[in-house]
Structure formats: C-alpha cells, structure tokens
Amino acid sequence: MEQIEKSKVYAEKGLLEKVKLCLSKNPLPSPTDRKKFDHDFAISTSFHGVHNIVRNRSKIRKVVWLVVVLGSVSLLVWQIYSRLVNYFTWPITTSIEVQYVEKMEFPAVTFCNLNRFQTDAIAKFSVIFFLWHVVSKVLHREEIGANSTESKEAVDFVKSHQNFSIAEFIKNNGFYLNSSTLLDCDFFGMPCGPKDFSHVFTEYGNCFTFNNGETIQAKKKVSVSGRGLSLLFNIDQEEFTDNPALGFLDAGIIFAIHSPKKVPQLDGLGLSAPAGMHARVTMRQVKTVHQEYPWGECNPNIKLQNFSSYSTSGCLKECKAQHIKKRCGCFPFLLPGNGIECDLQKYYNCVSPMLDHIEFKELCTVGTHNSSCPVSCEETEYPATISYSSFPSKKALKYLSKKLNKSQKYIRENLVNIEINYSDLNYKITQQQKAVSVPELLADVGGQLGLFCGASIITIIEIIEYIFTNFCWICIFFLVKIPEMTQWTPPPQNHMGNKNRIEECC
C-alpha cells in the first residue's frame, strides 16, 4: 500500500517537473513587454469600446467610455442569463393545423351487446355474472364485496369446478355475431358481414371489431364525407340477458371508435345506441404529437411486447400482466402475454389481491415521463357527435316486421341502427413544439453580443487567447521564477551594490 502511495507521489512530482521544464523553455516577458501586449490587445480587439478607453487622453472621456463598456457588459450578462434561464425551463408551444386529404383511413369500431350473456347458459350457471365481474377486474378498478352471498357462491363454484374455463364459457355462451344478430352491414356502398369483424374480449364479454387493422389490406379508406359504416343489429333481448344488480340496466349496443392500432376502451368511454333508436355518429380525426422529456412527458424509447404501437391503455395492460405473472405464475386471459392462463382459483387467491396491491402501491401509473406508462408521443383520436331518432318509422315498422317475420313489438325492442361517418375529409394535428431550439438560442445570444458589445465568436476567441497567454505567464512566474529566486543566494557586496541588484529585480 505504501509503495502504491509512493509511486503516486513520484508520478505527480514527475508530471510537475515536466510542466516546469515545458514552461522554462518560454522566457518570461519583461513588464514593458507585458504592458505593450495589453495595450496592443486593447487597441486591436474587435470588442467595441475598449480601444476608446485606451486611446483617449482625456480622463473624463476614459471614464465615460469605461462606464459605457461596463454597462454594456452588465446588460449583456443579464440578457444572456435570462435567455439561458428561459431555455432551461424547457418551454413549448402548441400548434394546431388542419390537413385536407382526398382519402382518409377509417377507424376501427368495436361493438358490444349491453346484454352480455345467453339466457339459457346463464340459467344453469347464475354465478357467472359475479365470476365475470371478478375476472374483468383486471381491466378496470372495481370493489368487490368479500362477504356477499354471490361471493360465497362463487367460492363454492370454483372449488367444485376447478377445470372450468370462464374464457371458453363466455366465448361460447356470450353475445355472438352472425346473420341473425347483424341484419345489415354496409361500408361505403359495399356490403359487409360478420366475416369483416374480429372477436375481442372486453369487460362486456364478447365484442367484435370492424377494421381492426391486423393487415394492410384490412385498412379501409373513405373518399367522401357523410358516408361510411351503416349497421343494423338485433340485440335479441329474449336470448341475451344480464344482471341489473351489477349495474347493467340498459338494452342496446355500446361501441368505441378508436385507432386500428389501439385496444378498445369501453369502460366510461363507449358510445351507446339504445334499442329502437337510429344513432347517427359524425366524427373527426385528431392527431396529437407530444414532445419527449424534458419538453414534454412522452418517452419514445418505450416499446410494447404485445402491441405494434405504443398506447397508455396497452402499456397498462402489459404492466399489470407482468406483475401478475411474476407473483402468480400465470396470465389473465384478458391481459396480453404468452404463458399459462390463470384459472378461477388463481383469480381468487392471487390475481385479485395482486390487483389491489398494484393499485395501492401505484405500480402501474400513467401520465408523466417517469411513470410506468407515460403519454404516447403520437396518438390518434376520433371525437364524435351522436344524434338519435326513433327507429323504425311506422311504415318501416310494418315493412321490417314482414321482412323479418317478427312482431312489431319485437322490432321496437330489439333492433338498433347505427351509422358512422366522417363530418369532413380533413384531420386536425395538435402538435407540441420546442419554443426555443439550440440554433435559436445561439442566434439570440449572438444577437445580444452584437447589440451590446459588437462582439462575435472571433471576439470570444481573441479574449480566450488573451486570458490564456496571461495565465501561462503567471504559471511561469510561480512555478519557475519564484523557486529560482528563493534558491539564489546573493554574494557579499557593498550596500550600494545590493541596492542596484534590488532595483534590477524589480
């Protein structure tokens, strides 16, 4: 250890000796030469006003010019400081631009029946209402009473049906889409049908998405506003039912308009079309671009494993899935991921408590750049306006009753007509932009330098060169000349000789 310290000391001494040797090769200029160097710099520098201080013989003018130069430098420092403080607050501006196009990509639309389950299947397993409520807790925060009668029945059901798959049960016994539930489908004058929809699980059970964008060919575009997707659903209230005790009191279709790249969000964000109504939906496309941190809150480096593009809703699902997989060793089927699917026993014993833990500890948060799921850097939304009219009219009621071979009461209680189209063939871009970029900051600082001091980057280099030269002279004086003077012993001479020697040193 001592050898290492000694070697460090020797290395430091060796470096110092090398510096001294380098400096000793450069002679220290005389005081006259130093004054001449300062004077030459003052009269030749491009820093305005300095040469007026040096050249003027009048002391009053020297003082005036000194005050002017110092005042200009003070204002320059204040201005540059304020510009730097403003830049490091990371200001942004928001621009709104409307783009007109000939064709627009049609969004994805996900439809669900408000009556989620088939009546015959639920009659055999009435506890399914509560079980599905527990299972869909992974999608939305929901308090479930632990001492309720339904909870006890569910626990007994889970114990006696350990191999029961609620995902398969809902898929086979929930709402389905075929020619009897989708009576008419028209997209931009072309017929469509159940084959144009893809199945997706939501908190409403079986739902179906039109134009899900899984392939490039599936992306549909429209070229005329006022026309789009027209659908006629039969919700068949006799065949499909739900539990009013859990808040499902309505009859109709709930749907969400979203980007084909995003997962649908229906809880609190869906649009409803009640039975016996014609819902006309006009929408616009709005694109939002957020700046990355520190100007904004988005993080462009976050990629999702199970979705092609980033969204906060998809990120939240993956975050919950990863925490549940780590603790419970399985994936809830409503969340993305590949692995063992959680059975009902796991939902009760592990998944549900883990969801409470995630909520309490705030393990999956949304919003700021340092949260689990910050806002997306680019997102597309479809704000919609919806209007309703009674459907069908008296004359149309007779026509449909005869065509479908159903009673007029059945038509009124079960048919839902939905039209979705663009109001205009344009989209609005709301974009966050940096209020001050680096080139703008440099241009601003350069302008302040020129305004107050007539300076430029060349002037700054001149000043740096002047300071560096004086610094080298100071180093030569302290590291070379002073040690030489302290080590020098004057020979004995008379008093007058010593006086002359002292004058030579000064």
Side-chain angles (χ1 to χ4, degrees), residues 251-422:
I253 295 291
I254 186 169
F255 59 98
I257 304 171
H258 56 94
S259 169
K261 299 177 182 179
K262 291 179 63 176
V263 293
Q265 288 182 272
L266 291 159
D267 186 34
L269 299 175
L271 302 172
S272 297
M277 288 288 179
H278 185 173
R280 292 180 174 85
V281 181
T282 56
M283 62 183 176
R284 296 192 67 184
Q285 188 181 94
V286 176
K287 295 183 179 181
T288 305
V289 180
H290 297 103
Q291 280 290 333
E292 61 185 279
Y293 183 80
W295 289 270
E297 297 296 344
C298 88
N299 187 345
N301 299 319
I302 297 181
K303 305 295 181 184
L304 301 183
Q305 299 177 358
N306 300 284
F307 300 98
S308 59
S309 62
Y310 177 85
S311 66
T312 52
S313 56
C315 176
L316 271 178
K317 288 185 175 183
E318 283 198 356
C319 180
K320 290 180 181 179
Q322 292 301 321
H323 283 292
I324 292 172
K325 174 67 167 59
K326 187 176 181 181
R327 176 67 65 86
C328 306
C330 61
F331 282 101
F333 74 93
L334 289 174
L335 297 181
N338 298 318
I340 301 172
E341 181 185 314
C342 298
D343 56 26
L344 289 177
Q345 195 76 35
K346 281 285 182 69
Y347 270 103
Y348 267 93
N349 298 335
C350 186
V351 175
S352 186
M354 187 59 193
L355 289 169
D356 294 332
H357 178 73
I358 292 172
E359 190 76 18
F360 179 73
K361 294 291 186 178
E362 296 182 346
L363 300 179
C364 296
T365 55
V366 179
T368 58
H369 71 281
N370 55 358
S371 61
S372 306
C373 298
V375 296
S376 56
C377 295
E378 293 185 18
E379 57 183 355
T380 304
E381 296 178 340
Y382 298 88
T385 302
I386 187 168
S387 59
Y388 300 96
S389 61
S390 181
F391 175 84
S393 64
K394 288 185 177 181
K395 191 170 183 179
L397 182 61
K398 296 178 181 178
Y399 168 77
L400 289 173
S401 178
K402 184 177 180 180
K403 179 181 178 180
L404 300 176
N405 194 24
K406 299 288 185 180
S407 67
Q408 295 185 8
K409 181 182 179 182
Y410 180 91
I411 299 295
R412 287 285 190 197
E413 292 179 350
N414 293 285
L415 264 58
V416 180
N417 196 0
I418 301 174
E419 287 185 19
I420 303 173
N421 51 63
Y422 278 114

Side-chain angles (χ1 to χ4, degrees), residues 50-64:
V50 177
H51 65 278
N52 290 319
I53 300 173
V54 177
R55 285 180 174 176
N56 274 310
R57 295 182 179 179
S58 171
K59 290 184 178 180
I60 296 176
R61 290 187 177 182
K62 284 179 179 288
V63 171
V64 170

Side-chain angles (χ1 to χ4, degrees), residues 98-107 187-188 211 219-225 227 283-287 380-382 421-428:
V98 178
Q99 293 281 350
Y100 291 87
V101 294
E102 294 182 357
K103 288 187 176 183
M104 288 187 67
E105 183 179 319
F106 200 78
F187 178 73
F188 204 64
N211 191 32
K219 294 182 179 179
K220 302 181 183 298
K221 296 185 177 182
V222 294
S223 57
V224 178
S225 61
R227 295 180 64 188
M283 62 183 176
R284 296 192 67 184
Q285 188 181 94
V286 176
K287 295 183 179 181
T380 304
E381 296 178 340
Y382 298 88
N421 51 63
Y422 278 114
S423 58
D424 294 295
L425 285 182
N426 60 58
Y427 59 91
K428 183 169 70 174

